[in-house]
Amino acid sequence: MNKSHESSGPSDVQEITLRSPAELADALPYLMGFHPNDSVVMVALHGGRGRFGGRLRLGIPHDPQEWAPVAAQLAQSLIAGSEKRDSRPDAIVVFLCQDPAGGEAAPEVMERLRPLAQSLRTACGALDVPVLEALCISDGRYWSYCCPDRRCCPAEGNPLALPGTTVMAAAAAYAGIQVRGSLRDMESGLTPWRTPAAAEQERALDSAGAVMVARILDTDGRGEVARETLSLARRLMDRLCGVPAGNPAGADDRDDRLIGPDEAAALILGLQDRETRDRAAEWMEGGDAQSALRLWRALARRCVGPYVEHSAAPLSLAGWVSWSTGDEASARVALGLALRADPDYTFAQLLHQACNQGLDPETLRRCLRGERELRDGDVTKSTQDPDATRAPGSRTERERGCVAVPKQGPEPSRAPIPSLKRDSACPSVPQQGQKPSCAPTPSQKRDSACPPAPQHGRVRDGRRPSGSGPRPNASGNGPRPDASGGRRAVRDARKGGRYGAESAGDGG
């Protein structure tokens, strides 16, 4: 078995050849950037030497009845995605990763997942792409579903190599490739609290929502909320920056102690506004990036109880900053959680699609820099020309463009889409429509938005019903809504109008 990264000429890129199921199993964390527990992973192989191509990951569905249709969708997605950016795969390698639970032994996990492995082999074979190897990895051991020889693949499985002792580990260390623990560990730093402090945070969110509803529904008040939200975010970033992250093991707890419940509530609700969120996305590089990332992660953990859906905004921002700073593995995890919280959140859909397609985030960074330059130019103009003032938070159609507009000369055309990386990660769902002409800005909507990967154990509830208790008038007078009414009003506001119409195809 010979898997390698090929090059077309002299190169400093090191070529690694994998010749056995053991070496394939050892290579998986380096291919993904983390240990993908509870996951189906599929990797495309190209050419006679089996060069690694696109890869795909999805959580293993809990219901075995879903395995056959999910397998067909995954096979179609990997093959179509590979054809789109490279060429049709010559073979596929499948990994099923799941540790025992509830008294189950690792060999029992392997046997329980055998029908899923068979469904994946059948689905790929139906598309004329064979599965070269299918491995189950569980509790530090691996099994091959393709090898019937008990001499090399015994019923009790084979142990995985010790970390850091293989050729792949040495090559990854030389190349600076890091494995960030397990997928479960990565997700735990982004999921809502389940501690006693969650009740206090939920009360703070209820109180903030009840107060903010009237201001959000008013045009002038909405602009004030946006300014206050960004100002508070900047203060908290400076506060976090003043305390080094230190040991990663306790970094999240330290950051949580630096942010009060009322501050977190105001930011979470304020970021439901699309344009406020897009402004926050400009903290994507330089000295701002790490403190912003710490803040977005902390806010995602504060979206407790019925506010889980609100975590789509900070999770998307965390995914964007991670992608912008070169951490694609963390970006995909954050964006996947954002889509799990709200499958209709277009910002996360577009970022997830662009990241999976291997696009260069510099295109979007250039867009956001241009937005900032345009806004700064308008501020200067408004101080010189009283008639140039506009409503707070509003933007012209030209400002919503995809590239920075120079102060002089003709407006340039949109930046072309960069060439896709040859071995970039494959999208986790079938891509539809045409590629966008450039990387989308966060507030744009495109018909080619990537639908979220199928999530197991979740019933998609679609749009929430609108309407929630007494609605205050534009001036803020009138009945004060109760906590649940305020929560629904903020949520409905982010789903409609300028305050957050998050549906694909909306020209917003």
Side-chain angles (χ1 to χ4, degrees):
M1 192 174 298
N2 188 20
K3 315 290 179 294
S4 62
H5 292 276
E6 295 176 346
S7 61
S8 57
S11 173
D12 294 333
V13 177
Q14 187 175 7
E15 185 176 281
I16 303 297
T17 300
L18 306 178
R19 296 185 173 88
S20 68
E23 293 181 342
L24 273 175
D26 176 70
L28 179 60
Y30 302 100
L31 290 173
M32 303 301 295
F34 55 88
H35 295 274
N37 51 276
D38 296 322
S39 298
V40 180
V41 178
M42 301 174 68
V43 182
L45 305 177
H46 298 269
R49 303 185 64 191
R51 173 179 55 82
F52 284 124
R55 62 218 64 168
L56 173 155
R57 188 205 68 82
L58 181 70
I60 295 177
H62 293 303
D63 186 356
Q65 294 184 354
E66 298 179 4
W67 289 355
V70 166
Q73 182 182 7
L74 294 180
Q76 175 63 35
S77 174
L78 180 61
I79 294 171
S82 297
E83 289 178 328
K84 187 176 182 180
R85 67 186 44 80
D86 190 348
S87 61
R88 187 175 182 83
D90 295 290
I92 290 173
V93 174
V94 172
F95 301 87
L96 300 181
C97 309
Q98 191 170 74
D99 287 333
E104 191 178 29
E108 294 173 330
V109 174
M110 183 272 294
E111 288 297 340
R112 177 170 53 79
L113 296 179
R114 186 181 291 277
L116 175 56
Q118 185 59 39
S119 296
L120 290 165
R121 296 175 68 185
T122 301
C124 294
L127 297 173
D128 295 326
V129 180
V131 172
L132 186 64
E133 183 62 275
L135 298 177
C136 176
I137 299 176
S138 179
D139 197 24
R141 308 185 75 84
Y142 72 89
W143 292 259
S144 172
Y145 289 114
C146 298
C147 179
D149 192 343
R150 295 299 183 185
R151 292 172 298 178
C152 60
C153 297
E156 66 272 16
N158 288 302
L160 294 171
L162 294 175
T165 62
T166 63
V167 173
M168 186 69 184
Y174 178 79
I177 299 174
Q178 297 180 352
V179 177
R180 297 165 181 81
S182 70
L183 174 62
R184 187 181 297 109
D185 293 337
M186 296 177 70
E187 290 183 341
S188 65
L190 296 167
T191 52
W193 285 346
R194 296 184 181 276
T195 64
E200 181 184 5
Q201 184 60 64
E202 183 177 342
R203 288 193 295 270
L205 285 162
D206 285 339
S207 299
V211 172
M212 291 175 67
V213 169
R215 302 180 65 198
I216 287 172
L217 296 176
D218 177 64
T219 302
D220 293 334
R222 186 164 55 218
E224 293 175 359
V225 170
R227 287 189 289 271
E228 292 170 3
T229 299
L230 294 170
S231 177
L232 176 58
R234 168 52 74 182
R235 293 197 304 274
L236 292 181
M237 286 169 56
D238 292 341
R239 188 186 303 170
L240 292 169
C241 188
V243 179
N247 184 0
D252 290 344
D253 290 339
R254 283 191 295 272
D255 289 348
D256 289 338
R257 288 194 292 269
L258 293 172
I259 302 173
D262 294 335
E263 293 173 322
L267 271 184
I268 290 168
L269 298 179
L271 288 173
Q272 304 310 307
D273 175 44
R274 275 196 300 126
E275 296 193 1
T276 304
R277 180 206 62 203
D278 292 357
R279 290 277 300 273
E282 295 172 7
W283 294 317
M284 60 194 169
E285 55 191 345
D288 290 333
Q290 288 307 311
S291 56
L293 179 59
R294 290 167 63 184
L295 177 59
W296 308 145
R297 288 171 54 89
L299 293 181
R301 295 191 293 270
R302 301 292 189 103
C303 295
V304 297
Y307 291 92
V308 170
E309 183 183 81
H310 290 65
S311 67
L315 284 170
S316 297
L317 289 169
W320 160 236
V321 176
S322 296
W323 182 36
S324 176
T325 54
D327 189 353
E328 292 188 4
S330 296
R332 291 191 183 94
V333 171
L335 294 171
L337 289 175
L339 291 173
R340 187 184 304 175
D342 186 354
D344 299 323
Y345 202 67
T346 309
F347 185 31
Q349 289 178 341
L350 296 176
L351 289 174
H352 194 250
Q353 180 183 15
C355 184
N356 282 335
Q357 287 184 343
L359 303 187
D360 187 350
E362 175 58 25
T363 305
L364 181 51
R365 284 195 295 263
R366 189 165 57 246
C367 296
L368 292 172
R369 293 188 201 108
E371 293 258 342
R372 183 168 53 216
E373 291 172 4
L374 281 168
R375 188 173 58 252
D376 293 345
D378 285 345
V379 169
T380 302
K381 180 179 178 181
S382 65
T383 60
Q384 298 173 351
D385 182 6
D387 295 331
T389 58
R390 293 176 295 165
S394 64
R395 297 190 297 174
T396 65
E397 291 298 323
R398 189 183 186 193
E399 286 178 301
R400 284 194 288 263
C402 193
V403 298
V405 180
K407 295 180 180 178
Q408 296 179 351
E411 179 175 343
S413 59
R414 295 190 175 199
I417 192 169
S419 59
L420 300 179
K421 297 178 182 177
R422 189 174 180 82
D423 289 328
S424 61
C426 184
S428 57
V429 290
Q431 304 299 318
Q432 302 174 356
Q434 300 296 320
K435 293 184 293 185
S437 59
C438 69
T441 59
S443 60
Q444 287 177 312
K445 308 291 180 291
R446 300 191 187 277
D447 292 336
S448 59
C450 172
Q455 302 292 338
H456 59 271
R458 186 186 197 284
V459 179
R460 178 168 172 170
D461 57 358
R463 300 291 181 182
R464 272 65 55 193
S466 60
S468 57
R471 173 173 174 172
N473 57 34
S475 63
N477 298 323
R480 175 189 174 99
D482 61 16
S484 61
R487 179 168 64 245
R488 289 193 299 269
V490 172
R491 183 181 62 192
D492 293 341
R494 70 189 280 270
K495 290 292 181 181
R498 191 195 66 83
Y499 194 72
E502 293 289 355
S503 59
D506 184 353

